[in-house]
Amino acid sequence: MDQARAQAHAQARTWLASAVEEARAGLAEGGIPIGAALYGPDGTVLGRGHNRRVQDGDPSTHAETAAFRAAGRQRTYRGTTMVTTLSPCWYCSGLVRQFGISRVVIGEARTFHGGHDWLAEHGVEIVLLDDAECVALMRDFIDNNPALWNEDIGE
């Protein structure tokens, strides 16, 4: 791995920590432990959020949409990075494509393989970290809440 790529990977891991904090906050509230953050081209956090489907009774409040909404209106999303603890579902993948978010950093895709391959096919840079903490967080949640998890993924 060249130096620039190693730096980008290290930055992605640092940013993932903010998404993990959000996931843990969602779990503490009795929700699904998925967190996300949207970062600007200059590396500043624009917005953070977590899945609030359970807490708000709103099936559209996924982590990525919560982070996107918290970021507020931007003139453009080119050059931004969506960081998420779990591979984005089709709904959230559509949000990334619709608004031209340039890169998605994913904590893990073992417990759920969402639309990140499709995003990559359409020019979105994908950084899959395969983070052990993200995997453990979701596996524990799925094992303890299978019905809620199946509801979240539409099964």
Side-chain angles (χ1 to χ4, degrees), residues 11 14 25-26 34 42 46 54 56 67 71 77 82 86 90 96-97 102 113 116 133 144 147-148 150:
Q11 182 180 52
T14 299
I34 304 169
D42 63 355
L46 300 173
V54 173
D56 297 346
Y77 295 90
M82 179 66 76
L86 185 65
W90 288 109
V96 168
R97 285 276 330 271
S102 300
H113 193 102
H116 68 267
E133 182 179 7
N144 292 319
L148 184 55
N150 286 331

Side-chain angles (χ1 to χ4, degrees), residues 67-146:
F68 183 75
R69 288 174 181 158
R73 185 174 167 205
Q74 305 292 315
R75 191 182 77 63
T76 183
Y77 295 90
R78 282 189 210 98
T80 62
T81 300
M82 179 66 76
V83 181
T84 180
T85 57
L86 185 65
S87 179
C89 70
W90 288 109
Y91 170 60
C92 295
S93 294
L95 179 141
V96 168
R97 285 276 330 271
Q98 173 72 30
F99 291 96
I101 294 170
S102 300
R103 180 167 64 154
V104 178
V105 171
I106 301 166
E108 69 103 349
R110 288 190 209 179
T111 59
F112 180 76
H113 193 102
H116 68 267
D117 292 334
W118 176 75
L119 288 170
E121 290 169 8
H122 289 88
V124 177
E125 180 186 351
I126 300 297
V127 179
L128 181 54
L129 296 175
D130 197 28
D131 182 80
E133 182 179 7
C134 290
V135 173
L137 192 61
M138 284 311 301
R139 282 202 174 135
D140 289 347
F141 179 80
I142 293 166
D143 288 348
N144 292 319
N145 303 278

